[in-house]
Amino acid sequence: MTSRERFLQALTCQPLDRPPVWIMRQAGRYLPEYRELKAKSSFLEMVKTPSLAAEVTMQPLRRFPLDAAIIFSDILVIPEAMGQGYKFRDEGGIAMDFRLDDKAQLDRLDATGVAQRLDYVAQALKLVKAELKNQRALLGFGGSPWTLATYMLEGGSADDFERSKSVFYSDRAFFNALMEKLTAALIEYFRMQIRAGADAIQIFDSWGGIIAGQDYEAASLRWIRDIISALPADFPIILYAKGTSSQLTDQAFSGAAALGVDWTVDLGLARKLVPGNIALQGNLDPVLLNTTPEIVRRETTHLLENMRNANGHIFNLGHGIMPQAKLECMEALLDTVTGWK
């Protein structure tokens, strides 16, 4: 069985001898080869240059026995393609070129033609697809409408998301108009990624947990449902929504084939709450990769045992790998998962 077959079978909850594994943000600053490349090219240059994006995507797969590659890109390419660019602040975090304040600015955002403007992502996917030779799965991804909207409405990274929430509660017409544009752009973008060879798409609702639980449907999940329903039937979508454990049941009926679960959730309990035809992805605490191989092996084994005899488990972290992660800890994680029976 190839790694690609293992991954796709896990998404359909078929029995496997071990779970497939990939790691969120598996390419990045913890790898010396990434830091070497980053010294020559900026992050945005790497994202927008297909050959560089493909190289960064492949770096962790050359080191580790991962079952899937996730294309190197950024969720904020969507607002940039619509007309609201972004950059990285010197002190850390994201700065959008402007804060989305009024209807005139919103009207200028163009949700059409996104696939053409983001063709560099499609070209990177095709390069990686050819190198993988169908031996490992290839994942595309994008941010959820709500998560993208928070950056656009706040003007960049935020601590309290005060303006995003205020717009949602006080100007629902403006909010919905923005979400409709983002939803349309993401549908076009994901269709493009599928045509380019993605085996699955992950939707990152990274800020889904900052809205009140009773409002999560209106603020985020309804738009995710619209996206999934507009994509090819039975194409596997993985929904990762950080901090939304109380929404698991509703997410299970979103049309997603798998739900990513953050590290605060007992994955065995989540398996009991989510229908058996929905796969679960997760959920080791990323901080553990900053500790020691012994701790990583212990906690990884505990998670695997917690999910023993549970079909449809894709091993992953509960959020993205951190720059401080140690290579020996990553090796211990992969050795433990791939050697587990």
Side-chain angles (χ1 to χ4, degrees):
M1 179 186 297
T2 66
S3 290
R4 179 178 180 271
E5 290 168 337
R6 180 186 299 278
F7 189 87
L8 295 177
Q9 287 186 20
L11 284 174
T12 54
C13 296
Q14 297 182 43
L16 293 168
D17 57 347
R18 70 160 179 87
V21 57
W22 71 281
I23 304 296
M24 285 189 277
R25 292 198 205 120
Q26 60 194 31
R29 287 178 287 172
Y30 74 104
L31 290 174
E33 54 266 44
Y34 175 87
R35 293 195 297 270
E36 182 179 344
L37 197 60
K38 180 68 165 57
K40 303 173 185 175
S41 305
S42 71
F43 178 87
L44 292 179
E45 286 172 337
M46 292 192 292
V47 166
K48 294 181 178 181
T49 307
S51 61
L52 293 178
E55 169 61 23
V56 175
T57 300
M58 291 301 301
Q59 285 178 346
L61 279 83
R62 296 183 187 126
R63 271 187 179 266
F64 306 117
L66 296 154
D67 292 300
I70 182 164
I71 196 67
F72 179 76
S73 188
D74 193 82
I75 64 171
L76 294 177
V77 298
I78 284 290
E80 181 177 62
M82 294 170 63
Q84 188 180 10
Y86 71 103
K87 59 183 177 291
F88 293 92
R89 297 169 178 154
D90 291 338
E91 65 275 18
I94 300 294
M96 307 302 291
D97 286 353
F98 59 90
R99 192 178 80 166
L100 188 58
D101 282 326
D102 55 45
K103 188 176 183 300
Q105 291 175 321
L106 176 61
D107 288 344
R108 286 195 292 270
L109 296 179
D110 185 3
T112 62
V114 163
Q116 182 177 359
R117 291 191 289 277
L118 296 179
D119 182 64
Y120 56 83
V121 178
Q123 296 309 313
L125 281 161
K126 291 174 183 177
L127 290 173
V128 174
K129 187 75 171 182
E131 188 162 350
L132 291 175
K133 297 180 172 63
N134 273 339
Q135 294 301 299
R136 304 191 201 187
L138 175 58
L139 278 66
F141 75 92
S144 72
W146 164 253
T147 289
L148 295 178
T150 64
Y151 289 98
M152 300 169 78
L153 293 168
E154 302 289 342
S157 304
D159 293 324
D160 56 15
F161 300 91
E162 183 274 334
R163 185 161 188 277
S164 300
K165 296 179 185 181
S166 294
V167 171
F168 171 76
Y169 288 115
S170 65
D171 194 347
R172 191 63 63 86
F174 181 88
F175 177 83
N176 285 348
L178 171 59
M179 299 300 272
E180 286 168 2
K181 285 198 170 191
L182 284 167
T183 298
L186 285 162
I187 289 169
E188 183 180 345
Y189 184 47
F190 290 148
R191 286 173 175 168
M192 178 197 78
Q193 293 188 49
I194 294 168
R195 290 194 302 270
D199 293 304
I201 298 288
Q202 174 149 309
I203 299 175
F204 285 92
D205 196 14
S206 304
W207 300 122
I210 60 98
I211 195 74
Q214 68 271 17
D215 296 314
Y216 178 68
E217 172 72 28
S220 185
L221 191 56
R222 63 162 288 195
W223 308 102
I224 293 171
R225 293 180 201 274
D226 288 349
I227 291 170
I228 296 173
S229 66
L231 299 179
D234 300 323
F235 185 85
I237 304 296
I238 305 168
L239 170 58
Y240 172 79
K242 185 172 178 283
T244 61
S245 58
S246 63
Q247 311 296 329
L248 274 175
T249 302
D250 288 340
Q251 290 167 356
F253 292 93
S254 65
L259 302 179
V261 182
D262 69 44
W263 70 94
T264 65
V265 178
D266 183 302
L267 202 59
L269 177 60
R271 180 69 282 170
K272 295 174 183 177
L273 295 174
V274 172
N277 64 325
I278 304 296
L280 290 178
Q281 174 185 280
N283 66 340
L284 197 73
D285 190 335
V287 169
L288 291 171
L289 291 184
N290 306 351
T291 61
T292 68
E294 293 74 24
I295 292 172
V296 170
R297 279 192 287 268
R298 182 189 71 206
E299 296 304 317
T300 299
T301 300
H302 175 75
L303 196 158
L304 290 167
E305 290 296 335
N306 194 27
M307 292 297 285
R308 183 177 287 280
N309 300 322
N311 295 334
H313 177 211
I314 299 169
F315 194 97
N316 209 319
L317 302 180
H319 198 227
I321 190 170
M322 303 170 77
Q324 306 93 318
K326 299 174 182 177
L327 292 178
E328 59 268 30
C329 289
M330 183 71 157
E331 290 167 354
L333 185 155
L334 272 299
D335 288 345
T336 304
V337 176
T338 57
W340 186 79
K341 299 294 181 184

